[in-house]
Amino acid sequence: MVAEEGAEYEQEFFKKLDKELNKVDKFYRSKVEEVMAEAETLTNQMHALIAFRIKVDKLQENFDVSGSNDKIMVSMNALQGTTESDNDAKQSSNCCQEIQEENPKKVMSSIRLAPQEVLNHVKLNEAIQAPFSAAKVYRASNTNETQMNFSKDNLKKIQNQLKQAFIEFYYKLRLLKNYSFLNVLAFSKIMKKYDKITSRRASKYYMRTVDDSYIGNSDEVTKLMERVEATFIKHFSNSNRSKGMNQLRPKSKKERHSTSFGTGFFAGCTAALILALVLIIHARNILDKEGRVQYMESMFPVYSLFGFMVLHMLMHAGNIYFWRRYRVNYSFIFGFKQGTELGFREVLFLSFGLATLALISVVSNLDMEMDPKTGDYKALTELLPLSLLLLVIIVLLCPFNILYRSSRFFLLRTLFRCICAPLYKVKFQDFYLADQFTSEVQAFRSVEYYICHYGWGDFKLRQNTCKSNDIFNTFYFIVAVVPYWSRLLQCVRRFHDEKDPMQGYNGLKYFLTIVALCTRTAYGLDRGTSWKAVAWTFSAMAALYGTYWDLVVDWGLLQRRSKNRWLRDRLLIPYKSVYFGAMVLNVLLRFAWLQTVLDLSLSLHRETLIAIVASLEINRRGIWNFFRLENEHLNNVGKFRAFKSVPLPFYNDEDEDRID
């Protein structure tokens, strides 16, 4: 209706609407082509799996002809859209053609040849998860090692790996189906709004165009989902449909009232115990007792460990809350199994529970005077902190399904990979955890003090010679360096795998931090002028380098040509002042080490000052965590990354050069 008033605006409206339809249609088509190609790859993987399984069964002398025939037929046809009724019309491979022969002898011979034919063109991709992957690949290439180990253990690993690949592939299909549905629904809503405003009936005609487009009428994804379900249920859930669908479509985690109640209960206990502790110190006038200095020297480092742990957990709980509020997909970034990730309530529950136990121990052990009869302190109360530490370790390692076992095991696996750096390929959760440990240096030193205090000191008298012991001082350096050394090795491994020079620059940052930490520790133990100058130099270099890396690389800020000047083009938090405040706070907390080399007289005990500085670093790390994941999430959104890539167990001979 060009002649009507405002027609040019309507033309512009429909031009933009057509542009958006073409954009989403083109994107959807490209993604469908990708999943179809991936479906073909998974089909080949299933061929190899069935061949491998038959080979293992044959070697175990448990080969069953009819059962193996059924397994082969389903695996060959499930992803290609065939069924048992139309196998004569669509035969996926020569193996299937031979199996359909009526002569049993031909069937038997074909089954025996099929595994060999398939396995002659594939190899086991064992190097992906192996710690010495580079060495294995090099050895295999030099010795022509192509033989596969046909064992039950290998078969189990292959099945688990391929099972995970199917789960991720099905999740990708669900996302694509939701993408199609939501976009068609969006166009429908837009046109209904248009009809309401203009009093026309254009939606009926325009929606025909939408329905005729690829995103509106394509059913490849739906059919592929049905085939994946059939294959997965048959081969990975023992034909149990409910079990298979629960794995393919895990239910979202429900919030428990018991968790909320427990969190509130322990939070109240923590507040009450802190108040009781303050009142006891004031009522007993403990700060003026003679034993207070000895208490600060021997017992305060013992209890400060739990303070660092609780503070870090509280910061993590706060981060989870804000990640959820601003829709940061932290579960995908960390690689959590869907439905097992902890919410902020669960982390608060653990935090306040540990804080309650630690404060009970502190109140019970708040004695400044020795027993006049025995001449020492009560052994039972002196052992309370050690007992609590052992309890934390036991709960962490407990194999029973209590207190979030999947999360505890995820933490242990990630910790193991951090310890074994650079033997394993580095994932996001690996270097993220290693970064957390770099902010818990004082906590590691507290663990070292536990060993010295209870192992070589006289804990009943609260006496030890830890700080004057050369071995203790040596490990005082080593313990502090270990987290940074692990992080440095991770950077080396990523530089080797990704050939990214930024990883080399990141490794240089941790090297400078190691040198700065060692020089500051040396100056703290031996306050000489030479150590002070060296500590000043390397600490300043490390702090400036680390601050730049935090703000520019990890947070993606300080971009001059951004829409949001000095920030990013895209921000999740609507208040820009939050970003500028976080940047200023990061700089200030980065330079908290100045108190070490400036010899500030703050009328505080040395252990108290150390605990305050360590707490400030934990707070800085907590702030860093939020913006680091925000930046990672926005990068994923910009590159359309919404699912994990799972390494496949087999690869073809021609694909050997593509192994990571």
Side-chain angles (χ1 to χ4, degrees):
M1 301 181 181
V2 181
E4 293 187 4
E5 183 180 358
E8 65 275 11
Y9 297 110
E10 294 194 67
Q11 288 182 343
E12 185 67 21
F13 167 77
F14 278 104
K15 283 182 180 179
K16 290 188 176 180
L17 198 63
D18 289 343
K19 181 180 179 181
E20 291 301 316
L21 176 59
N22 292 331
K23 184 174 70 173
V24 298
D25 188 76
K26 181 180 179 181
F27 177 80
Y28 182 75
R29 185 188 295 270
S30 65
K31 292 301 175 182
V32 171
E33 291 175 356
E34 288 181 12
V35 297
M36 295 300 291
E38 190 171 347
E40 182 65 25
T41 302
L42 287 177
T43 301
N44 296 332
Q45 293 286 317
M46 285 302 300
H47 292 173
L49 171 64
I50 299 303
F52 194 93
R53 182 184 294 165
I54 293 174
K55 191 76 172 180
V56 172
D57 290 342
K58 178 182 175 182
L59 294 176
Q60 296 294 327
E61 296 181 352
N62 291 324
F63 181 72
D64 185 276
V65 177
S66 60
S68 300
N69 289 349
D70 181 58
K71 291 176 183 177
I72 294 176
M73 292 297 295
V74 174
S75 66
M76 294 295 204
N77 298 319
L79 290 179
Q80 298 181 9
T82 61
T83 59
E84 292 179 350
S85 62
D86 60 359
N87 280 336
D88 291 332
K90 296 182 180 179
Q91 299 169 339
S92 61
S93 66
N94 293 332
C95 177
C96 289
Q97 294 174 2
E98 293 176 356
I99 290 175
Q100 291 175 351
E101 295 288 337
E102 295 180 355
N103 193 331
K105 293 183 179 180
K106 290 185 178 180
V107 173
M108 191 67 178
S109 62
S110 66
I111 293 173
R112 289 179 176 176
L113 290 175
Q116 190 64 34
E117 291 175 0
V118 174
L119 295 176
N120 282 343
H121 298 87
V122 297
K123 293 181 181 180
L124 266 182
N125 198 2
E126 297 179 3
I128 290 177
Q129 295 296 338
F132 299 98
S133 56
K136 285 191 174 184
V137 172
Y138 177 79
R139 186 176 68 249
S141 62
N142 282 276
T143 60
N144 295 323
E145 184 182 343
T146 59
Q147 296 296 327
M148 288 188 285
N149 183 13
F150 296 97
S151 64
K152 288 287 186 181
D153 291 338
N154 261 358
L155 177 60
K156 186 176 180 181
K157 292 178 182 178
I158 292 169
Q159 290 182 154
N160 290 336
Q161 202 168 0
L162 199 52
K163 176 181 177 181
Q164 189 61 36
F166 265 84
I167 292 175
E168 290 298 326
F169 180 65
Y170 188 79
Y171 177 64
K172 185 188 297 187
L173 295 177
R174 289 175 60 194
L175 289 180
L176 271 179
K177 189 174 182 180
N178 291 339
Y179 178 84
S180 172
F181 171 77
L182 290 175
N183 277 282
V184 173
L185 180 63
F187 283 109
S188 175
K189 296 286 187 182
I190 290 171
M191 291 308 302
K192 285 182 179 180
K193 193 71 173 179
Y194 172 83
D195 286 351
K196 183 178 180 180
I197 294 175
T198 61
S199 299
R200 294 176 182 170
R201 296 181 179 178
S203 61
K204 178 180 178 181
Y205 303 99
Y206 194 85
M207 288 308 297
R208 289 179 184 174
T209 304
V210 176
D211 293 337
D212 291 338
S213 65
Y214 188 82
I215 194 173
N217 66 4
S218 174
D219 60 348
E220 283 91 343
V221 173
T222 302
K223 291 181 179 179
L224 197 55
M225 289 179 69
E226 295 174 354
R227 297 165 192 165
V228 171
E229 290 173 4
T231 304
F232 188 87
I233 292 169
K234 179 66 178 179
H235 292 281
F236 300 109
S237 62
N238 200 21
S239 299
N240 188 331
R241 181 170 180 81
S242 61
K243 178 182 177 182
M245 294 307 297
N246 285 336
Q247 292 176 320
L248 288 175
R249 295 175 177 262
K251 297 179 180 178
S252 58
K253 192 175 182 180
K254 295 182 179 179
E255 299 290 345
R256 295 178 178 270
H257 294 295
S258 57
T259 302
S260 300
F261 173 79
T263 302
F265 175 77
F266 285 122
C269 291
T270 301
L273 287 169
I274 292 175
L275 179 60
L277 184 62
V278 173
L279 294 176
I280 290 173
I281 293 175
H282 179 73
R284 295 183 184 177
N285 200 19
I286 290 177
L287 295 178
D288 296 331
K289 294 291 184 66
E290 294 181 359
R292 64 182 179 84
V293 176
Q294 187 180 21
Y295 183 89
M296 291 298 298
E297 291 288 343
S298 60
M299 299 306 298
F300 188 83
V302 169
Y303 286 113
S304 62
L305 170 63
F306 301 107
F308 300 144
M309 294 169 61
V310 170
L311 179 59
H312 210 133
M313 293 168 70
L314 290 175
M315 294 297 296
H316 184 61
N319 281 328
I320 293 177
Y321 172 79
F322 286 107
W323 287 333
R324 285 190 173 182
R325 179 175 178 180
Y326 294 106
R327 299 184 182 276
V328 175
N329 194 359
Y330 71 96
S331 179
F332 165 71
I333 294 174
F334 286 127
F336 293 138
K337 184 179 178 181
Q338 189 174 354
T340 62
E341 67 276 7
L342 296 183
F344 69 94
R345 290 185 181 87
E346 288 84 356
V347 179
L348 286 177
F349 171 74
L350 297 174
S351 305
F352 288 124
L354 179 60
T356 299
L357 294 176
L359 286 171
I360 290 174
S361 179
V362 172
V363 172
S364 303
N365 197 20
L366 198 61
D367 295 326
M368 297 297 159
E369 297 179 359
M370 293 184 176
D371 191 329
K373 295 182 179 179
T374 59
D376 56 19
Y377 297 93
K378 295 180 181 179
L380 180 62
T381 55
E382 294 299 311
L383 288 172
L384 282 177
L386 178 62
S387 303
L388 183 55
L389 179 60
L390 293 176
L391 177 63
V392 172
I393 296 174
I394 291 172
V395 170
L396 182 63
L397 300 176
C398 179
F400 302 111
N401 192 14
I402 58 173
L403 283 178
Y404 317 117
R405 180 178 64 177
S406 60
S407 298
R408 289 189 286 109
F409 282 14
F410 180 86
L411 175 62
L412 291 174
R413 286 193 299 268
T414 308
L415 176 61
F416 178 76
R417 296 171 71 91
C418 292
I419 295 173
C420 293
L423 302 180
Y424 284 92
K425 187 175 181 180
V426 182
K427 301 179 181 179
F428 181 89
Q429 59 267 27
D430 300 334
F431 68 76
Y432 179 88
L433 182 62
D435 277 328
Q436 307 309 303
F437 288 151
T438 59
S439 295
E440 289 284 2
V441 169
Q442 200 55 44
F444 286 110
R445 284 174 168 172
S446 296
V447 174
E448 178 194 3
Y449 181 79
Y450 263 89
I451 298 173
C452 179
H453 180 70
Y454 287 102
W456 288 277
D458 191 344
F459 65 90
K460 292 183 180 180
L461 298 177
R462 293 181 180 173
Q463 294 178 356
N464 59 68
T465 58
C466 295
K467 296 179 181 178
S468 60
N469 189 296
D470 293 337
I471 297 178
F472 180 86
N473 291 332
T474 301
F475 277 95
Y476 203 69
F477 282 90
I478 296 174
V479 167
V481 167
V482 165
Y484 294 98
W485 180 252
S486 174
R487 193 67 188 89
L488 174 60
L489 294 179
Q490 288 180 342
C491 293
V492 172
R493 176 58 190 257
R494 293 189 69 186
F495 178 77
H496 174 269
D497 292 340
E498 303 170 12
K499 303 297 186 293
D500 183 5
M502 292 296 290
Q503 298 303 325
Y505 300 141
N506 197 16
L508 178 60
K509 179 188 71 172
Y510 290 104
F511 176 76
L512 287 175
T513 307
I514 290 173
V515 177
L517 185 63
C518 290
T519 54
R520 288 204 304 267
T521 304
Y523 175 70
L525 297 175
D526 181 17
R527 294 186 176 272
T529 306
S530 58
W531 280 120
K532 184 174 183 179
V534 176
W536 256 104
T537 303
F538 283 100
S539 295
M541 292 172 60
L544 292 173
Y545 198 171
T547 300
Y548 170 81
W549 198 273
D550 285 348
L551 303 183
V552 178
V553 181
D554 289 339
W555 292 2
L557 303 176
L558 293 181
Q559 298 182 15
R560 292 177 56 188
R561 299 181 180 179
S562 170
K563 292 189 306 184
N564 307 300
R565 190 166 178 80
W566 299 114
L567 302 177
R568 305 188 212 97
D569 288 333
R570 298 189 62 184
L571 303 173
L572 293 182
I573 302 177
Y575 309 106
K576 298 179 182 179
S577 58
V578 174
Y579 294 91
F580 290 109
M583 286 191 286
V584 172
L585 195 58
N586 182 274
V587 174
L588 294 177
L589 295 179
R590 269 284 184 184
F591 286 86
W593 54 267
L594 285 172
Q595 56 82 29
T596 305
V597 295
L598 291 179
D599 299 327
L600 299 177
S601 56
L602 300 176
S603 68
L604 294 174
H605 193 276
R606 181 174 179 271
E607 295 295 336
T608 304
L609 189 59
I610 291 175
I612 292 174
V613 174
S615 299
L616 292 177
E617 171 59 22
I618 293 173
N619 281 287
R620 187 196 68 81
R621 179 61 61 182
I623 298 171
W624 179 90
N625 290 341
F626 175 82
F627 295 103
R628 178 65 181 87
L629 253 73
E630 181 201 22
N631 192 31
E632 186 73 17
H633 172 75
L634 292 176
N635 289 335
N636 289 339
V637 171
K639 297 178 182 178
F640 306 108
R641 289 196 298 250
F643 36 79
K644 297 183 294 184
S645 62
V646 179
L648 298 174
F650 299 100
Y651 66 95
N652 295 327
D653 293 340
E654 58 269 19
D655 297 334
E656 185 171 358
D657 295 334
R658 296 191 294 105
I659 300 176
D660 292 335

